[in-house]
Amino acid sequence: MPHTTVPTRPRRRILADLTPLRTSVHYRRLWVGGTISWLGQAMTALAISLQVYEITRSNFAVGLVGLFALVPLVAFGLYGGAIADTLDRRKLGLYSSLGSAGLSVALAAAALLDYHRVWFLYAVVALQAVCGALAGPARSAMIPRLLPADQLPAANALNSVTMTSGTMIGPMLGGLIVGWWGYQAAYLIDAVTFTAALYAMWRLPSMKPDRAEGARGRASVLDGLRFLGTRPNIRMTFFSDMAAMVLAHPRALFPAVAGLWYGGDAKTVGLLVAAPAVGALLGGLFSGWQGSVRRHGLAILLSVAGWGLAVAVFGLTRNLWLGLFFLALAGCADTISMVFRSTMMQAATPDEMRGRLQGVFIVVVAGGPRLGDFLAGSVADLTSPAVAVTGGGLACVLVLGLLALRWRGFARYDARTPQA
C-alpha cells in the first residue's frame, strides 16, 4: 500500500520518536487501540488468576492458567502466521479481536450468573491465546505497509512502550477493580476496551499479502521455515533472543534469591519482578536515538550481550538496590534488542512471508522464557542460585559470541540495504 515519506532533517532525539503517530493515521489508530486493549487484557489475566485461586485455593491450579495460555499460543503461532500470509490481514485482525472481545463478555456473563467453574476459565484462556496467535502476526505484518522503513524502529519502540506499560499497569488496575466491583467489572471493562482495537482494524484499508506471481493461494508453514533456513540474518535474530531467554532468564529464581540473598519476602519478589519491566519501559520511552542507528545486527549483538552481562552481575550482588539496578539495566537492553530484531524482520522479509516469520517470533518469545525458567531452576537445584544466574549470563555472552563468529555478516547488516 503506498505511503508518503515525510522528509525530515536528522536531529538528535532522547525521548521516543513520535513520528509514526504523526505521519500515519492508520498506525496511530492501531497503536492507540492496541494500547487500550492490551491494558484490558492484562487486567483480565490477573482477574482470571485471582478467580481460579478463589475457587480452588491451589497455587498449582493458578500455575495451570499459564500453561493453558502457552500451549495454544505456541501451537497456533506458526499457523496464525501462515493464515496472515494467505488472507486479508485487516479481516483476520478484526475477527480475532472480535473473538477476544466476545470471550471477555462470556467471562463477565459467567461471573454475573455466579457460574464459577475452573474448566470454563481454562477454556477461555486457551481460546484467548488462539485469538492472540491469529491477531499478532497479522498486526505486525501490517506495520511495514503503513510506515516507511526508516520509521520502523520508532514504531517498534512505541509498541514496546504499549506492552510494558500494559503489563505493569494492567494487573494493578485489575486488582483494584476486582476488589471494588468484582470479577464481572474487570471482564466487562476488558470487553469495552476492545472496541478501540476493533475500530482501528475496521478503519484500515484491505491488507491482502503481496504475493509473488505464480505463488500458491494458501501460504505454507513449511515454506516459511524453508525461507528462514536460507536467511542467516533473520535466523540470527531468533538465535540471539534464544541465547538470552533460555540461558540467562533468572525469573524462576526470584522467590529463592529474595530470601537467600536479600533476606526479603513476597514484597522483595515483587520488586525483582518489576525491575526488568521498569527498565524495559525506560528503554522504550528514551528510544529516540535508535532511529539514527543503521548497523542493526551490531546493535542486537551489543544489547543481548548487555542483557547477559547485567544478569551475570546481578547474580553476584547481595545489595537489593544494586541488584534491582542491574535487573532494570537488563530489561532496558532487552527492549533495545527487541526493537532492532523486530525492525530487521519487518524490513528484510518480503511481505508475503512476514506473517509466517512473525508466527515464528511468537513461538520464540513465548517458549524461550519458559525453557529458561526450567533451565534456571534445574541448574539452581543441582548447584546454587548464584551459579545458575551468573553462569547463565556468562553462557549467554559466550554463545552469542560463537554465533557472531559463525555468521559474521550479521554484525555488518546495514538498515539502508536490508538483506535477510
Side-chain angles (χ1 to χ4, degrees):
M1 187 179 72
H3 48 65
T4 302
T5 302
V6 179
T8 57
R9 187 169 59 188
R11 58 192 178 97
R12 290 184 177 274
R13 296 179 184 270
I14 298 176
L15 295 177
D17 185 359
L18 303 182
T19 302
L21 299 177
R22 292 194 295 266
T23 59
S24 172
V25 64
H26 291 306
Y27 175 77
R28 182 165 66 246
R29 289 196 195 103
L30 273 181
W31 186 80
V32 172
T35 300
I36 294 172
S37 62
W38 179 247
L39 190 66
Q41 286 177 279
M43 289 169 47
T44 287
L46 179 76
I48 289 176
S49 294
L50 291 173
Q51 191 173 5
V52 169
Y53 185 76
E54 183 177 291
I55 295 170
T56 65
R57 297 295 172 181
S58 166
N59 290 317
F60 176 75
V62 176
L64 285 178
V65 173
L67 185 63
F68 274 94
L70 174 64
V71 172
L73 192 62
V74 171
F76 283 87
L78 295 175
Y79 291 100
I83 295 171
D85 285 340
T86 302
L87 304 178
D88 185 339
R89 291 161 179 163
R90 169 189 173 271
K91 291 182 178 178
L92 181 59
L94 184 64
Y95 294 150
S96 55
S97 296
L98 188 62
S100 294
L103 290 168
S104 295
V105 171
L107 286 169
L112 285 168
L113 295 172
D114 289 326
Y115 185 77
H116 304 300
R117 299 291 185 276
V118 173
W119 71 264
F120 173 75
L121 297 175
Y122 288 158
V124 170
V125 166
L127 291 174
Q128 285 176 331
V130 171
C131 290
L134 295 175
R139 186 182 184 281
S140 179
M142 293 176 189
I143 295 176
R145 300 273 292 272
L146 300 175
L147 297 170
D150 62 351
Q151 292 182 22
L152 292 179
N156 287 314
L158 289 170
N159 292 342
S160 77
V161 172
T162 293
M163 299 295 291
T164 308
S165 60
T167 301
M168 293 174 61
I169 299 171
M172 178 182 66
L173 290 177
L176 292 174
I177 290 169
V178 169
W180 289 338
W181 299 303
Y183 300 110
Q184 64 272 15
Y187 299 143
L188 281 173
I189 291 173
D190 184 22
V192 171
T193 62
F194 268 109
T195 59
L198 290 170
Y199 176 74
M201 291 287 181
W202 179 64
R203 290 295 303 271
L204 285 172
S206 175
M207 283 278 184
K208 294 180 179 179
D210 290 336
R211 307 299 299 275
E213 186 176 351
R216 290 181 295 179
R218 183 178 297 277
S220 165
V221 173
L222 292 178
D223 284 346
L225 295 176
R226 279 192 286 266
F227 172 83
L228 183 60
T230 63
R231 300 299 188 270
N233 286 332
I234 301 300
R235 285 203 312 275
M236 267 292 290
T237 65
F238 295 126
F239 290 159
S240 60
D241 187 50
M242 291 294 286
M245 293 297 101
V246 175
L247 298 175
H249 198 256
R251 180 183 58 189
L253 303 180
F254 287 165
V257 304
L260 291 174
W261 296 356
Y262 308 119
D265 53 15
K267 299 184 185 67
T268 307
V269 177
L271 290 174
L272 294 174
V273 172
V278 171
L281 180 60
L282 292 175
L285 292 176
F286 294 93
S287 60
W289 59 273
Q290 294 171 8
S292 62
V293 175
R294 296 290 178 260
R295 299 282 294 278
H296 289 184
L298 182 60
I300 292 170
L301 293 174
L302 292 176
S303 55
V304 173
W307 163 278
L309 290 174
V311 169
V313 176
F314 164 70
L316 299 174
T317 61
R318 296 301 179 266
N319 177 278
L320 177 60
W321 297 109
L322 192 60
L324 294 175
F325 169 77
F326 281 106
L327 285 177
L329 197 61
C332 182
D334 185 47
T335 289
I336 295 170
S337 167
M338 184 279 297
V339 167
F340 289 117
R341 284 185 290 111
S342 297
T343 301
M344 185 182 291
M345 185 171 61
Q346 291 166 339
T349 304
D351 184 70
E352 64 175 6
M353 288 288 178
R354 283 179 181 144
R356 277 166 284 186
L357 292 196
Q358 181 62 27
V360 176
F361 182 82
I362 288 176
V363 172
V364 170
V365 169
R370 274 70 183 186
L371 290 174
D373 289 342
F374 174 76
L375 181 62
S378 300
V379 174
D381 279 348
L382 293 172
T383 56
S384 70
V387 170
V389 175
T390 299
L394 295 177
C396 167
V397 177
L398 175 61
V399 169
L400 185 70
L402 294 174
L403 290 171
L405 288 174
R406 172 62 180 82
W407 288 285
R408 296 171 187 255
F410 184 70
R412 297 191 295 270
Y413 176 94
D414 192 321
R416 291 167 294 191
T417 55
Q419 297 291 326

